[in-house]
Every structure is written in structure tokens, then in C-alpha cells.
Amino acid sequence: MLYSVKKADQYIEADEPIEAKIGSDQVFTENKDVVRLLALLEETKAQLAKVKIREAKAQADKTATISKMLAVQAELDIAQADIAILSKSNEDLRTKQKLSA
């Protein structure tokens, strides 16, 4: 790594034309690595777009599930309160029956 950085700095500091630095045969030729890199970047960009769509859908599903869970919890709380009231009322009736008997 350091060797590559040192060599790059040497090329940058040299006052030679770019053709002399990289070779005149490479100036106008198509670099297949760059083409592959650009293709990979485009593919990655497409995959990222798909992931963003899936993430948005997952977030919406999560929100809907949490809302349903909170609604069910509220119904459960109401049912438990009703059961407590009925239990208390039942206890009071039993107490009254014992007292009147």
C-alpha cells in the first residue's frame, strides 16, 4: 500500500506529459476494468433501489402490526376491566345472599 502511494506521488510530482507517464498506447484504449466497475455500480444502484422499496414496505408492515397489536391490547385491557367489575359485583351479590340467608 505504501509502495503504491509512494509511486503515485512520484508520478504526480514528475513534470512529464500524461502519455509518458501511462504509456501512449493506453491513452485512447477502452479500459475493461472501468467498464466492469461501472456495470457493477449500476447493478448495485438497482439493488439499492430494490432494497429501499423493500425497507419502506417492511416499515409500513411494522407500523401496521404495531397498530393492530395496540388495538388488541386495548381490547384486552377493557375485557380485563370488565372481568374485574363483574367479579366484584358477583362477590357483592354472594355477600348479600349470605347475609340474607
Side-chain angles (χ1 to χ4, degrees):
M1 173 76 176
L2 294 175
Y3 176 77
S4 298
V5 171
K6 183 178 178 183
K7 282 296 183 182
D9 288 343
Q10 287 175 354
Y11 279 133
I12 291 171
E13 291 173 4
D15 290 329
E16 301 173 15
I18 190 72
E19 291 86 3
K21 291 180 185 175
I22 62 171
S24 61
D25 61 330
Q26 294 182 4
V27 174
F28 296 107
T29 59
E30 180 181 344
N31 191 341
K32 292 182 181 179
D33 290 337
V34 173
V35 171
R36 277 188 256 146
L37 179 62
L38 289 175
L40 180 63
L41 288 174
E42 287 297 321
E43 182 182 332
T44 304
K45 183 179 173 183
Q47 288 176 352
L48 179 62
K50 290 178 185 176
V51 167
K52 283 185 178 182
I53 291 170
R54 284 196 312 254
E55 183 180 354
K57 185 180 180 303
Q59 186 66 30
D61 289 347
K62 177 183 168 187
T63 303
T65 302
I66 289 172
S67 296
K68 287 178 185 176
M69 189 176 81
L70 290 174
V72 169
Q73 182 64 44
E75 287 179 23
L76 179 63
D77 290 343
I78 290 170
Q80 286 177 334
D82 288 345
I83 289 171
I85 291 170
L86 289 173
S87 294
K88 177 73 171 130
S89 180
N90 193 16
E91 239 179 75
D92 291 345
L93 284 175
R94 284 186 183 159
T95 306
K96 285 181 184 179
Q97 273 183 344
K98 287 182 182 178
L99 292 176
S100 64

